[in-house]
Amino acid sequence: MGTAISLEIADDLPPATLHELADQVFGWMREVDARFSTYRTDSEVCRFDRGEVLLSEASADLRFVLEACADLWGATDGFFDAYATGRLDPSGFVKGWAAQVASDRLLAAGAPNHFVNAGGDVRVRGCSASGEPWRIGIRHPWDPMATCLVLVGTDLGVATSGVYERGRHVLDPRRGAPAGGLRSVTVVGTDLGVADAYATAALAMGAAGIGWLDRLAEHTYAVVTDDARQYHSSDLPLTD
């Protein structure tokens, strides 16, 4: 999906087991790319969008994603819209969801201490190899070599949507124009797919997204505006 995937498994397991688990994670991510990439004309999501695949013929994963996107459209008052560009593009949910599934599978396979990073959307569980909680840096929206915040935790899904790499690619679906006002939105929860979609929706809302994020239950956030102001939840899990 045009992004990099990285993985760290911090459990004391035999090397062969670690390699097998890693292969399963990357195999799953390749499967997701083949099915959901909007850059591949032969992907299932593109073929579905062109009408070449009927809903009754779609894979269970595609049906799940379509249903989730519909639910998120309602939950965000239409600001998370998989059809905002005029064609089906569920990427604002899929990337986080794919990493969440990978993390869930690692947990079920007996690897409860891990870090999965899908293009900046991060799911951590347990502890790092040092035995300490994971530290997750949030990229500075103007300096790619710096962080603006560092989070810490043992069970976090951290999703960031911003304009600093792909430009203003997120549209305000009500205006049909690129969203403005916010340069970076990070949402923290336990379901990375949902956090990913909420970050996209808040970015689409512009400045009004800050108030919306304040009212979100069971999630925390950090926002950097276009004029370099920073806002975050009082209970955001920051390092000391």
Side-chain angles (χ1 to χ4, degrees), residues 36-89:
F36 290 103
S37 174
T38 58
Y39 301 102
R40 300 173 59 156
T41 59
D42 63 341
S43 70
E44 186 181 13
V45 76
C46 286
R47 290 186 293 116
F48 178 83
D49 192 42
R50 294 194 300 266
E52 297 170 8
V53 175
L54 301 178
L55 183 60
S56 59
E57 302 167 334
S59 66
D61 283 340
L62 178 56
R63 292 196 302 271
F64 173 83
V65 165
L66 292 172
E67 184 176 347
C69 287
D71 290 343
L72 288 161
W73 183 88
T76 62
D77 199 21
F79 278 97
F80 179 83
D81 187 349
Y83 287 93
T85 63
R87 57 171 294 195
L88 175 60
D89 182 359

Side-chain angles (χ1 to χ4, degrees), residues 6-46:
S6 60
L7 168 68
E8 181 177 348
I9 302 174
D11 296 282
D12 186 15
L13 297 170
T17 301
L18 293 172
H19 283 294
E20 181 180 355
L21 290 173
D23 286 345
Q24 290 172 2
V25 168
F26 290 115
W28 161 246
M29 290 298 186
R30 285 190 290 269
E31 180 183 336
V32 170
D33 182 63
R35 178 162 289 142
F36 290 103
S37 174
T38 58
Y39 301 102
R40 300 173 59 156
T41 59
D42 63 341
S43 70
E44 186 181 13
V45 76
C46 286

